[in-house]
Amino acid sequence: FVMVSSPYLEDPFPLTRHLYESGETYLLSQDRNYEHTSNKKLKCAIRLLHGVNDEIVPLSKVIDDAFLLRTKYECKDVRVRKILHGDHRLSRNEDVTVLLQALDDVLSM
């Protein structure tokens, strides 16, 4: 493992090989032909929430991922929502409210 620092935490946190490899297993947004995802169709609703002030993930990445979900994975209900003043963590009370609304939207289907 390696210790990784974060601008959001006081102390570094461990990034293990298992965490990295398990993430690679389910990676959908990279241009790789993973056997388990190459023909997968997603039949669930997906909500991508992005803080306008996110300095780690650019909005263009979220838009690209939404396009990939709609095209390669044939997901018919993908929505991107930009959250004004939200940062990477989306941890303000207003952000959590939006997150809960998105969750309620998906669960009520």
Side-chain angles (χ1 to χ4, degrees):
F1 73 93
V2 296
M3 297 301 287
V4 179
S5 61
S6 167
Y8 302 112
L9 300 172
E10 290 182 23
D11 298 319
F13 63 94
L15 181 61
T16 65
R17 176 179 283 245
H18 174 71
L19 176 65
Y20 177 80
E21 289 174 351
S22 67
E24 284 282 308
T25 300
Y26 298 102
L27 193 62
L28 298 178
S29 67
Q30 298 297 320
D31 189 19
R32 299 179 187 165
N33 191 19
Y34 289 111
E35 183 177 314
H36 73 280
T37 63
S38 61
N39 294 317
K40 185 174 259 325
K41 292 180 176 49
L42 298 176
K43 297 179 181 181
C44 60
I46 296 178
R47 303 295 178 260
L48 302 173
L49 307 176
H50 188 268
V52 172
N53 296 334
D54 189 333
E55 296 179 356
I56 296 174
V57 179
L59 179 59
S60 61
K61 172 71 173 130
V62 177
I63 301 297
D64 289 347
D65 286 350
F67 179 77
L68 183 73
L69 289 164
R70 287 184 184 116
T71 56
K72 182 176 180 182
Y73 298 101
E74 300 180 23
C75 184
K76 298 190 185 316
D77 189 5
V78 178
R79 298 181 197 170
V80 175
R81 180 160 180 190
K82 296 187 296 184
I83 300 176
L84 189 62
H85 305 298
D87 64 6
H88 183 69
R89 297 182 299 167
L90 296 177
S91 59
R92 301 170 308 140
N93 288 337
E94 304 87 13
D95 302 335
V96 173
T97 298
V98 174
L99 291 165
L100 291 173
Q101 289 169 348
L103 182 61
D104 186 52
D105 179 43
V106 170
L107 292 176
S108 67
M109 296 180 168

